[in-house]
Amino acid sequence: MQVPLIDLKAQYSQIRDEVEQSIRTVCDSQYFVLGPNVAELERRIAQYSQARYAIGVSSGTDALLVALTALDVGPGDEIVTTPYSFFATAGVIARLGARPLFCDIDEPTFNLAPSAVASVLSGQCDRVGAELVNTRTGGRVRAIMPVHLFGQMADMDALLEIGRQHRLLVVEDAAQAIGAELGDGRRAGSIGNIGCFSFFPTKNLGAFGDAGMCVVNDAELAERIRALRVHGGRSEYFHAEVGGNFRLDELQAAVLLVKLNYLDRWTKARQDNAARYDRLIEDAEIAEFVTTPIAKEGRHIFNQYVIRVQRRDELQSYLAEQGIRTAIYYPLALHEQACFADLGHDSANFPYANRAAAETLALPIYPELSGEQLEYVVAGIAAFYGP
């Protein structure tokens, strides 16, 4: 049996006619950039995410970049964030001339640990006038940027309280978490100053290429992001500041509008698959070797189903031989990346991120996964660890 990590063809087969009709409508209109489909998608994503405003941009990475730009992050600034995430989280900070200030993760959920953030801010930062200064680097700490990794929200209440105490902004990297919720129903992206989504094709809500979105509740901030995505111009050919070309195009918005109608159905299928994995792994009596994801109170949307395992690389190779495709998110924590060597972070300060990089393995979780495929995956894992 073959079990791919994700099967976009299976998803497309369900919605082909709707998508093709939507694309034809755009082609017939010859309106390709920031048109009515983008405006409608923005309205619906804002509503879905419980935010007042949504601004479509060219990718999830650009959503993070324009968000930090809108908050005037630049050289000499530092952004508190996780070392265990996709590269863009820290990469956009560096692109603006700022520095990522890494804090370790919460071991069960893989998300930024409020206790680690509090420890770093109290232990190596001092308030100097209106600024919070990192005494080891001299940098100004400006914001906290948690990542809702794999579809589960970070502990936002604790992080918001730390931000309030230290007068820091909060930017949510919700690239993998559209529709994820805290226990009280608040949704990813709507809680901090800015929320950032990715619509990369493999996301729960995926475009036919790169696309992203910023969501905010502040009207002035929303207007600035809109200007920044078109080279900083609030009216054509008049530019108060330098922005970039971060526009979302009509074809991607048209595809996403079709898919958005199916998102909750697909998310429920992912949740059902995750629950079945949990049961099958428990029944296989391999808990000694495999730790399943911790789904805390709230709505985990399972962009990925990530287990912790012993002999991870050997297991991955064995499963590949059985036709089961898996992935490692992420094999090298950000503080270990060569491009961040000059930050001087001590690897010993990130034991949980280091452990995650060595032990985690993502199993297929896409909505169209069959029961037989799920059973085959778990049987493969059990066979690897069996006598």
Side-chain angles (χ1 to χ4, degrees), residues 1 67 71 79 93 116 152 159 163 207 216 278 313 315 319 335 342 345-346 366:
M1 184 181 293
L71 298 175
I79 307 298
I93 298 170
Q152 181 167 210
L159 292 169
V216 299
D278 290 347
D313 294 348
L315 173 62
L319 293 177
H335 64 276
D342 63 330
H345 284 293
D346 185 347
Y366 57 92

Side-chain angles (χ1 to χ4, degrees), residues 17 39 70 82 95 169 177 280 314 357 368:
D17 291 344
T82 171
R95 282 181 62 186
L169 302 164
L280 288 169
E314 295 174 57
E368 298 78 19

Side-chain angles (χ1 to χ4, degrees), residues 139-382:
R140 301 177 299 271
V141 183
R142 294 283 316 285
I144 303 171
M145 190 157 72
V147 179
H148 305 314
L149 201 66
F150 304 146
Q152 181 167 210
M153 290 187 68
D155 188 347
M156 288 300 296
D157 287 327
L159 292 169
L160 286 170
E161 177 58 22
I162 293 170
R164 186 194 64 77
Q165 292 173 2
H166 294 280
R167 293 179 244 170
L168 301 176
L169 302 164
V170 177
V171 176
E172 297 176 69
D173 182 341
Q176 301 176 8
I178 188 165
E181 296 177 359
L182 295 175
D184 60 6
R186 286 174 293 163
R187 286 203 160 175
S190 66
I191 301 170
N193 295 89
I194 305 177
C196 302
F197 296 116
S198 169
F199 303 129
F200 188 76
T202 57
K203 296 292 192 292
N204 289 28
L205 180 62
F208 279 11
D210 279 315
M213 190 81 71
C214 292
V215 293
V216 299
N217 291 307
D218 180 88
E220 185 175 342
L221 189 55
E223 186 60 28
R224 189 173 186 199
I225 293 172
R226 288 191 195 99
L228 286 168
R229 73 175 171 182
V230 287
H231 300 285
R234 300 200 181 204
S235 59
E236 194 171 16
Y237 306 124
F238 293 87
H239 304 267
E241 61 182 324
V242 177
N245 181 4
F246 304 128
R247 297 171 296 194
L248 175 61
D249 70 65
E250 281 286 286
L251 286 169
Q252 300 300 348
V255 170
L256 290 166
L257 281 169
V258 172
K259 287 190 169 188
L260 185 56
N261 294 326
Y262 295 84
L263 178 58
D264 284 339
R265 185 187 314 176
W266 291 337
T267 295
K268 178 63 166 56
R270 287 173 178 270
Q271 293 168 330
D272 290 345
N273 288 343
R276 187 162 187 181
Y277 267 136
D278 290 347
R279 292 192 299 271
L280 288 169
I281 289 171
E282 182 179 2
D283 292 346
E285 298 182 346
I286 51 176
E288 175 185 354
F289 309 102
V290 179
T291 301
T292 56
I294 303 297
K296 288 189 173 181
E297 184 182 29
R299 186 184 193 228
H300 191 330
I301 67 163
F302 290 100
N303 190 178
Q304 285 91 22
Y305 182 90
V306 177
I307 57 176
R308 292 179 179 272
V309 294
Q310 298 179 23
R311 298 160 53 205
R312 190 266 313 280
D313 294 348
E314 295 174 57
L315 173 62
Q316 185 181 41
S317 295
Y318 175 80
L319 293 177
E321 292 170 0
Q322 313 310 310
I324 300 167
R325 299 301 167 187
T326 59
I328 298 172
Y329 305 116
Y330 300 91
L332 189 66
L334 294 175
H335 64 276
E336 299 279 14
Q337 297 288 345
C339 62
F340 292 133
D342 63 330
L343 297 179
H345 284 293
D346 185 347
S347 184
N349 292 330
F350 309 100
Y352 297 133
N354 292 338
R355 181 180 173 190
E359 295 181 349
T360 52
L361 188 67
L363 304 181
I365 190 68
Y366 57 92
E368 298 78 19
L369 201 65
S370 71
E372 291 77 13
Q373 287 174 310
L374 275 162
E375 292 172 1
Y376 184 67
V377 171
V378 177
I381 297 171

Side-chain angles (χ1 to χ4, degrees), residues 23 40-41 56 79 94 99 104 109 158 160 246 254 271 305 364:
I23 289 173
E40 177 62 9
L41 181 66
I79 307 298
R99 293 165 52 98
D104 207 6
T109 66
L160 286 170
F246 304 128
Q271 293 168 330
Y305 182 90

Side-chain angles (χ1 to χ4, degrees), residues 77-80 101 121 125 132-134 139-143 168:
D77 292 336
E78 298 191 4
I79 307 298
V80 174
L101 178 55
L121 294 182
C125 299
L132 184 66
V133 177
N134 184 341
R140 301 177 299 271
V141 183
R142 294 283 316 285
L168 301 176

